[in-house]
Amino acid sequence: MFRRRPINTHGPISGLVLRRFCRNPMAMASFFFILLGILLAVLGYLITPDSTPHANHQQLELATHKPGHKATLLLVTKNQQPGTVSLVEKMISGKPSDYSTIAIRQYWFEGAWLYYETYAGQPGYPGLENRIWLPDVVFSIEPDQETAPVINDSITFIAFGGERHTKPIEQLREMVRGYHIDTRKFL
């Protein structure tokens, strides 16, 4: 009445196990789910939106908003030597950001300065007005440097490492508009 099917024992036992495993759809789905988990664990910081160490790059002013909120950020280059991190080190612990971010409501230029109004966290509340020297936004500069006067619509400054630069103000403004003002949608 209940007969067992004969087992084909020709060939290695691993082939038999593999054939039986491949015939079971639940086992195959579980296998691919485990592979996906391993892939996500190995890639880690390479695929996360926040690849800073401990995924701790957050804006407190924006943390209380609902998902889908848009905000304008000012990316200010940190005054330090840009860090180099190997691929393995980035996968394990992330890479420190080269920028400090400031949530802003609006910005404008006056001479060699970028003025901005910080985002207070709630619509309708005015933020604090502040200013930052244009080369300090775009370049990593020496920390104890005095702000240089504008000569012929150009600014001379010393970058981190002692290199002297002279840049036109309009070029610095375009660099700020193009690369250092970012509108992001937070999920």
Side-chain angles (χ1 to χ4, degrees):
M1 183 167 174
F2 295 105
R3 286 191 176 169
R4 296 178 91 170
R5 288 191 303 185
I7 298 175
N8 183 5
T9 57
H10 300 291
I13 214 82
S14 61
L16 175 66
V17 170
L18 187 61
R19 277 194 305 275
R20 289 198 62 185
F21 185 75
C22 289
R23 286 187 199 146
N24 186 345
M26 184 62 90
M28 289 303 292
S30 300
F31 175 70
F32 286 118
F33 183 75
I34 291 170
L35 278 181
L36 177 67
I38 291 170
L39 182 69
L40 290 175
V42 168
L43 292 178
Y45 282 105
L46 296 177
I47 59 174
T48 58
D50 183 2
S51 61
T52 58
H54 308 296
N56 196 22
H57 184 81
Q58 59 181 318
Q59 297 291 321
L60 294 178
E61 302 90 356
L62 305 173
T64 59
H65 290 287
K66 293 181 181 178
H69 176 74
K70 280 188 175 181
T72 304
L73 299 175
L74 173 63
L75 305 175
V76 179
T77 306
K78 291 182 179 176
N79 291 334
Q80 62 189 18
Q81 188 69 28
T84 56
V85 177
S86 69
L87 180 65
V88 174
E89 191 176 350
K90 184 175 180 181
M91 287 172 60
I92 293 171
S93 61
K95 178 184 181 235
S97 176
D98 293 331
Y99 301 100
S100 297
T101 56
I102 303 169
I104 61 172
R105 290 174 49 100
Q106 62 181 345
Y107 68 96
W108 62 96
F109 299 102
E110 287 184 19
W113 296 91
L114 168 69
Y115 287 82
Y116 59 91
E117 180 185 348
T118 59
Y119 181 69
Q122 295 297 325
Y125 290 98
L128 300 174
E129 288 187 7
N130 207 344
R131 72 179 187 167
I132 188 167
W133 196 40
L134 281 175
D136 204 11
V137 175
V138 179
F139 293 97
S140 178
I141 64 171
E142 288 292 334
D144 298 331
Q145 185 175 171
E146 295 288 326
T147 56
V150 176
I151 300 171
N152 296 332
D153 290 335
S154 294
I155 303 173
T156 301
F157 57 94
I158 301 170
F160 198 85
E163 191 176 338
R164 187 177 215 74
H165 292 281
T166 301
K167 298 282 183 188
I169 290 178
E170 196 53 44
Q171 181 184 6
L172 291 172
R173 289 178 180 177
E174 288 303 316
M175 291 172 81
V176 168
R177 285 187 201 107
Y179 303 110
H180 295 274
I181 301 291
D182 191 16
T183 301
R184 292 185 186 167
K185 187 174 188 177
F186 292 90
L187 301 177

